[in-house]
């Protein structure tokens, strides 16, 4: 069942609001002034699609989606996100698509959080490698440099964790 609440002026969603709503497999909350999500707002084992596009969200708590294992697609286009915390979607093992474009990303190639975003974009988008990294930069030479730095950072993280 699809829940469509886009543009309804919803300002907040209480903790656990969707836990008991087994019928909501797809939820559209785009164009609502949410700004931030309260911890546990989207804890739902039944939700597979979530659209939070253009909601003015400025940050996500790293454990926000820990109880949403069946989430396969999330849309966060057009918010105010500057970074995603490392591990934000780690428990979403079925996640295939994540839309992160049109956010004012803070690009720090030496940040673990930035490397996480790059890996997440690579793992969850259906676009070509060049298009995947356009969410961070529209200049192709910057994209190439960024990819090289991310690979170096990932190599460093792998060596440090070994």
């Amino acid at each position: 069942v699809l829940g469509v609440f886009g543009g309804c002026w919803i300002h907040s969603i209480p903790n656990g609001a969707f836990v008991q709503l087994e019928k909501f497999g797809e939820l559209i909350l785009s164009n609502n002034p949410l700004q931030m999500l309260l911890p546990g707002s989207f804890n739902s084992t039944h939700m597979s699609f979530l659209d939070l596009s253009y909601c003015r969200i400025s940050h996500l708590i790293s454990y926000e989606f820990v109880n949403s294992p069946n989430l396969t697609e999330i849309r966060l286009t057009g918010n105010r996100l500057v970074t995603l915390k490392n591990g934000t979607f780690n428990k979403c093992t079925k996640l295939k698509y994540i839309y992160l474009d049109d956010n004012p990303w803070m690009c720090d190639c030496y940040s673990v959080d930035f490397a996480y975003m790059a890996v997440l974009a690579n793992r969850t988008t259906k676009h070509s490698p060049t298009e995947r990294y356009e969410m961070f930069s529209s200049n192709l030479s910057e994209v190439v440099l960024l990819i090289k730095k991310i690979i170096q950072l990932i190599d460093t993280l792998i060596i440090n964790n070994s």
Side-chain angles (χ1 to χ4, degrees):
V1 173
L2 175 64
V4 180
F5 303 100
C8 292
W9 288 97
I10 298 171
H11 291 272
S12 66
I13 297 171
N15 183 345
F18 301 102
V19 171
Q20 299 300 322
L21 300 176
E22 296 178 13
K23 301 281 185 201
F24 280 117
E26 299 181 8
L27 183 60
I28 298 173
L29 289 165
S30 59
N31 295 297
N32 281 296
L34 290 171
Q35 295 183 7
M36 69 176 270
L37 304 177
L38 300 174
S41 299
F42 296 102
N43 286 346
S44 172
T45 57
H46 307 287
M47 193 179 319
S48 62
F49 173 86
L50 178 60
D51 187 351
L52 294 170
S53 299
Y54 302 99
C55 287
R56 304 179 194 158
I57 298 168
S58 59
H59 67 282
L60 294 174
I61 298 168
S62 61
Y63 53 87
E64 177 57 45
F65 300 99
V66 73
N67 291 317
S68 301
N70 292 312
L71 194 61
T72 58
E73 183 174 334
I74 185 166
R75 295 182 181 185
L76 293 164
T77 299
N79 282 291
R80 297 176 180 167
L81 296 168
V82 293
T83 189
L84 285 179
K85 293 294 181 190
N86 188 8
T88 300
F89 296 102
N90 280 1
K91 298 293 183 179
C92 301
T93 56
K94 295 181 181 177
L95 190 63
K96 293 180 183 174
Y97 306 110
I98 184 164
Y99 297 86
L100 299 168
D101 53 300
D102 199 17
N103 280 286
W105 298 111
M106 183 176 63
C107 300
D108 178 1
C109 296
Y110 298 102
S111 165
V112 172
D113 293 335
F114 185 75
Y116 171 74
M117 288 188 332
V119 170
L120 183 66
N122 187 47
R123 181 175 60 96
T124 59
T125 57
K126 56 186 172 188
H127 306 291
S128 72
T130 303
E131 291 172 319
R132 289 178 191 142
Y133 293 104
E134 284 179 356
M135 68 179 225
F136 301 116
S137 172
S138 59
N139 184 328
L140 188 57
S141 63
E142 288 180 35
V143 171
V144 171
L145 181 61
L146 173 63
I147 291 170
K148 288 178 181 177
K149 287 183 178 181
I150 289 171
I151 290 170
Q152 289 172 345
L153 181 60
I154 291 171
D155 288 342
T156 302
L157 290 172
I158 290 170
I159 291 169
N160 290 340
N161 288 331
S162 297

